[in-house]
Amino acid sequence: MRIRIVGAGAMGRGIAQWAASAGHTVELCDVRTEAVTAAVDFVRSMLERAVQKGRMSARDSAAVLERLVPLDDPWAPGPEVELVIEAVREDLDTKAEVFGKLEEALPESTVFATNTSSLSVTRIAASLRDPGRLAGLHFFNPVPLMKIVEVVPGAATRPGIPSALTELVESCGHRAVTVADTPGFLVNHAGRGLVTEALALLEESVADPAGIDRIARDVLGLRMGPFELMDLTGLDVTAAVIDSIWQGFRHEDRLRPSYLTPNRVTAGLHGRKTGQGWFAHGPEAASPAPEPPVTGDADRPVFVAGGEDAAGLRTALAAAGATVGSGPQPTDGALVLVPVWGTTVAAAVASLGLPAPRTFGVDPLAPAGRRRVLAVTPAADPAAARDARAVLARAADGGEPWAVSVVRDTAGSVAQRLLASVVSVAASIAERSLAAPADIDLAVTAGLGYPAGPLAWGDRIGAARMLDLQRALHATTGDPRHRPTRWLTERAQLGMPLTEPGTSPAACAQR
């Protein structure tokens, strides 16, 4: 296939390398000829590096460069061009102008694809005489390494084009997911679950950015915490995406932005690219302050209160040599630990008549690493909190001690709220039929690097238990951002997994 790529920036050059490496002839062009020269040089350096590392032969590298054709004029006639991929800046008028000129220069049979990440494919196509020839083909940076592409049909896109683009993408070694032409498409939309809830936790002073990131990594198993991720992406970019998706979905509470971001963006606290974001960056930047050492009395007796999660915590602490009370009530002076699921420690103190100064919450969510989370109420005795942290840090069989994060008491604690939001946003995408459940999980794991797709992750916990969590969060906080989705509620009630598409009315009407 002969493919023309218009736009030789980071995305354009990555797409060019990907397509040429897969055997296609690629015309690479830009309104700035120096950008094309720089892009070809960059691709050459990437191929040379691949040869040096033994991932490609010198002959194959040379063949790829031969298939990469620099083009001086983006609007040059191209009777053999079968596909155009546009990768210019994210501006509707600019993209419409590009495609308008291409429509004059190229055959009617040439398929047009836009690499937009945030603009409506339908609106871009509407400027064409034939809007049916255009679809979205959204790659992720760096293109050769991020092996997922969103295929986005516009409202007028001809039926055969999405399947043809999917076949092309997968023949070139990437995975393709078909998604609806909605704000954020799939990956950017699904990614809002993590960062918006992390910002909400920071708004409520539950923990600082470093503390939230530690829990996200060590309890949920994420490669990067949400604040690290925002610093990497750039808060200016992240905040714009959050606002755009929230506005596009008509102020959906689940996607609500934070009041924290506008001033930080205005102040230039964008992250790595400005040297300062949620954290300091650069060769002379100080590292985040380390966690305080564990200094309490690890031998202080403890009493574990609560329901089904209490038994597991009792067993784990006893195996680590802690003195765990077995009576119906805590003894005088004993610490009280309460596993909380979607509720607060304060509520447990009130409902169970527990001693507020020495009662603490423990997140029962199974950690991906050796970290436990201790929730502290405003009524807690600081010395008792230090002792509770020391007890939770005890390790069984002489193993490594547990790291213990101390957070402010909140419904569900940190990890539960992050996970509930990630699952909830994905379930909302499935509920609206914006993408198939399997495509949601594939796109999120490939595009965001989560340890599991959000729907499969919810299934690991169990649909019924996830529903209990979200109902408890909603009831405790009164915040509609936590309300359960219909997708989760139905599947929990019917005993179905969250990854199951289910029976559609259309299927029942067919013979």
Side-chain angles (χ1 to χ4, degrees), residues 6-19:
V6 181
M11 294 304 298
R13 71 193 185 193
I15 298 168
Q17 179 183 337
W18 166 80

Side-chain angles (χ1 to χ4, degrees), residues 1-3 23-26 80-83 164 168:
M1 176 180 285
R2 192 174 190 89
I3 301 172
H24 299 287
T25 300
V26 176
E80 297 179 350
V81 175
E82 298 175 68
L83 172 67
L168 168 68

Side-chain angles (χ1 to χ4, degrees), residues 114 116 119-126 134-136 152-155 157 181 185:
T114 173
T116 182
L119 300 174
S120 164
V121 172
T122 300
R123 292 185 66 188
I124 295 171
L134 186 143
V152 190
T157 302
D181 184 19
F185 304 143

Side-chain angles (χ1 to χ4, degrees), residues 398-433:
E400 287 292 321
W402 289 77
V404 181
S405 294
V406 181
V407 302
R408 179 178 178 176
D409 182 30
T410 186
S413 198
V414 173
Q416 291 172 37
R417 280 183 52 176
L418 292 176
L419 178 58
S421 183
V422 166
V423 173
S424 184
V425 170
S428 178
I429 293 171
E431 180 177 292
R432 292 183 166 108
S433 300

